[in-house]
């Protein structure tokens, strides 16, 4: 791996493989490609970072080194957090997606935030994609807080499979 500004950077070939997975005509519509794009979008926009334009560059100001690292990673892979304007409920967040060299700006409206606190140990944000007319609920936080929620989700999926199996027996 290469280093950049004191941090690690994926090798160029790994970045190219991810770009091809997300945007090539043969894989862009796969569930895996959509999950990768959703994850990178989440890393780019779910934060308290202030982006500052410096010519063509964006400089990120953040009190959280974790948020800064996640946002920089998303930017490196092609999901660059460009701007945030307005207050919660009307705030618009802009992300520039690099779709294999073709740059597309996508706007998201911040609908609500359940802030990080010492009890929940996670932050939850609700965004709507203004172009695609979709709503996202994004959560990130301490693994001790988020991981049990993922387990519940697996349990719910198993319960659903059991219900379908029971209904097929009738």
């Amino acid at each position: 791996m290469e280093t950049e500004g004191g941090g690690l950077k994926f090798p160029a070939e790994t970045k190219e493989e991810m770009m091809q997975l997300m945007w090539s005509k043969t894989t862009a519509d796969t569930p895996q490609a959509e999950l990768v794009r959703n994850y990178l979008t989440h890393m780019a926009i779910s934060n308290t970072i202030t982006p500052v334009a410096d010519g063509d560059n964006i400089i990120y100001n953040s009190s959280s080194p974790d948020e800064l690292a996640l946002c920089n990673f998303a930017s490196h892979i092609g999901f660059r957090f460009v701007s945030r304007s307005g207050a919660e409920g009307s705030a618009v967040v802009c992300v520039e997606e690099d779709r294999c060299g073709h740059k597309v700006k996508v706007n998201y409206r911040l609908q609500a935030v359940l802030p990080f606190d010492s009890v929940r140990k996670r932050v939850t944000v609700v965004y709507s994609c203004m172009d695609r007319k979709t709503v996202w609920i994004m959560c990130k936080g301490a693994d001790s807080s988020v991981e049990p929620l993922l387990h519940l989700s697996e349990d719910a999926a198993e319960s659903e499979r059991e219900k379908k199996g029971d209904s097929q027996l009738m």
Side-chain angles (χ1 to χ4, degrees), residues 18-170:
M18 288 186 75
M19 297 288 280
Q20 289 301 314
L21 167 71
M22 292 185 295
W23 304 115
S24 76
K25 290 179 182 179
T26 57
T27 59
D29 292 332
T30 64
Q32 183 180 11
E34 182 178 4
L35 287 171
V36 171
R37 288 192 302 268
N38 290 347
Y39 176 79
L40 291 170
T41 299
H42 179 38
M43 294 304 103
I45 67 176
S46 178
N47 56 57
T48 57
I49 291 172
T50 303
V52 178
D54 182 22
D56 287 341
N57 295 321
I58 302 286
I59 298 168
Y60 299 128
N61 293 323
S62 177
S63 60
S64 168
D66 294 339
E67 285 189 343
L68 186 59
L70 294 169
C71 191
N72 279 326
F73 171 75
S75 181
H76 175 70
I77 302 299
F79 285 72
R80 186 169 80 147
F81 175 35
V82 177
S83 65
R84 177 183 291 123
S85 61
E88 182 180 324
S90 64
V92 175
V93 177
C94 180
V95 174
E96 181 183 78
E97 296 177 355
D98 181 349
R99 300 180 181 180
C100 295
H102 179 68
K103 307 236 189 271
V104 176
K105 288 192 177 176
V106 181
N107 293 311
Y108 298 88
R109 183 168 309 281
L110 174 61
Q111 303 290 341
V113 176
L114 297 173
F116 184 92
D117 63 41
S118 60
V119 176
R120 291 179 68 240
K121 297 181 184 170
R122 63 185 179 271
V123 61
T124 304
V125 292
V126 180
Y127 281 96
S128 57
C129 180
M130 297 167 67
D131 300 334
R132 298 180 195 129
K133 310 268 190 275
T134 56
V135 175
W136 293 12
I137 299 174
M138 303 178 199
C139 179
K140 70 177 179 181
D143 54 355
S144 62
S145 173
V146 175
E147 195 171 341
L149 299 174
L150 298 174
H151 180 71
L152 289 175
S153 136
E154 292 169 0
D155 288 348
E158 179 63 29
S159 175
E160 195 63 32
R161 283 192 293 274
E162 288 174 7
K163 285 179 189 175
K164 286 182 182 177
D166 290 345
S167 68
Q168 289 175 354
L169 294 174
M170 294 180 174

